[in-house]
Amino acid sequence: MPYFDTASAAELHPVARQALVAALDEGWADPARLYREGRRARLLLDAAREAAAEAVGCRPDELVFTPSGTRALHSAVAGAAAGRRRTGRHVVLSAVEHSAVLHAAEPFDTAQVGVDRTGRVDPGAFAAALRADTALACLQSANHEVGTVQPVAEVAEACRAAGVPLLVDAAQSLAWGPVDGGWSLLAGSAHKWGGPPGVGLLVVRKGTRYAPQEPADERESGRSPGFENLPAVVAAAASLRAVREGAEAEAARLSALVERIRARVPQLVPDVEVVGHERLRLPHMVTFSCLYVDGEALLTGLDRAGFSVSSGSSCTSSTLTPSHVLKAMGVLSEGNVRVSLPAGTTEEEVDRFLAVLPGVVAEVRGRLGAPAGEPGPAAAADRGEGPGEGLLVDSLGKLCPIPVIDLARVIGDVPVGGLVTVLSDDEAARLDIPAWCAMRDQEYVGERPAERGTAYVVRRRV
């Protein structure tokens, strides 16, 4: 069963497994002790730190290991902001940062910098958001949902000129290479590159003001308290070095397979939007959204067909709200599929996925009663009472993609220039109805409050 969700967690690398087992025998003692077993553990810890630092591109004494990538991000935001508390409490971050960064920044005065439809930040807009009281700036190296690579070097230069430290979330990109540019802090997560879960890393470059906000502890320079999980740390560092050795060749191979998916999916499945930058992207990741499709049903169907993939659709998340990344990009959120290929993926596996996908999408659309061909009448549509009101579609109490399907069914019932108003109380409709208009060349007029839910107004163009 092909596993196409390595962006969530990569399978444990064979080198990591070997290093983990070996370190369980040799690295069980306290590395802070001076006796023989402690010295042996200290040698393993120092070697792991040096290997990880070499891969990241920093000094070993700038890098500490944490219990997770999320913990590293929270520590970085809190520590960097505390170190510059006299400057202010203003934090600048992109609108597509990982939720861990967004949550860590909640106690501060934040400014979110928007992105274009590919999910990429404009360095000029980011620089313009920096202020005299900005304590910290945050920008991911590459997006975790769509794979778009961010202009870290340009943003880092703008931050340097403004005297603001830049924190980079490099969780998705460290397997492929170091992060360029003059960043000040960096975080990563071992399970993203084939290391064991429960190990993160935090880098604070020399000269960066930093005040740890963790419980006081002498371990890991006071930045990550608690007894080190040394076997896992050793395995994480060993696997990072191993994946880097073949990263260039594997990136070229996987990128060709991803390009095949990007090109073939719109040809095989109607009403699909491939999202993310077509060139400036991670080599192993592709994301697309299908109109008139429930994301959970689509993932379940693909799972039954033997493929494990992920989604940013609201129906697949615990919050039942649309992906903040897709929302910031202004693209369709429902029926979303993220494919992230692991090392070793074959062309035959990708071809099988492409052969299975159209049937799964068609099955889900059929169950939802999605329009096929020319749109037809819908029972929920009524003529508006005022002049120029057109059709009113009541989709209250229905989750996307049903409001979008209701809209598609009736758009042909109004003349060109006529209006359709959709009433919906699903937050995803705020994103998906405008996205449908862009995909079907219809005009999205806007939204207005309604007695219940929100009224979304669409004008027929074609």
Side-chain angles (χ1 to χ4, degrees), residues 19 35 146 186 231 296:
Y35 43 69
V146 300
L186 180 142
E296 183 175 5

Side-chain angles (χ1 to χ4, degrees), residues 52-88:
E54 181 182 4
V56 170
C58 67
R59 293 168 38 159
D61 59 350
E62 295 174 330
L63 185 149
V64 300
F65 295 104
T66 66
S68 67
T70 295
R71 183 67 262 173
L73 288 169
H74 276 263
S75 297
V77 171
R84 285 173 51 83
R85 58 186 175 276
R86 293 183 180 179
T87 300

Side-chain angles (χ1 to χ4, degrees), residues 146-166:
V146 300
T148 296
V149 173
Q150 301 293 352
V152 172
E154 295 93 323
V155 169
E157 180 59 28
C159 290
R160 185 200 62 78
V164 176
L166 175 65

Side-chain angles (χ1 to χ4, degrees), residues 234-326:
V234 170
S239 58
L240 181 56
R241 172 180 281 177
V243 298
R244 283 289 188 82
E245 290 176 354
E248 185 175 354
E250 190 65 10
R253 198 182 68 80
L254 292 182
S255 187
L257 295 178
V258 164
E259 192 56 45
R260 179 170 176 79
I261 297 174
R262 290 181 65 92
R264 291 290 289 153
V265 167
Q267 297 171 355
L268 296 170
V269 182
D271 297 316
V272 165
E273 181 179 20
V274 179
V275 299
H277 204 287
E278 60 179 325
R279 292 183 299 101
L280 303 174
R281 57 172 175 79
L282 292 171
H284 67 305
M285 191 184 302
V286 56
T287 303
F288 55 89
S289 297
C290 308
L291 272 178
Y292 318 132
V293 170
D294 173 80
E296 183 175 5
L298 180 55
L299 264 60
T300 301
L302 288 170
D303 181 51
R304 286 200 303 267
F307 292 91
S308 302
V309 297
S310 184
S311 173
S313 296
S314 61
C315 56
T316 66
S317 71
S318 59
T319 61
L320 291 182
T321 58
S323 154
H324 71 278
V325 172
L326 301 179

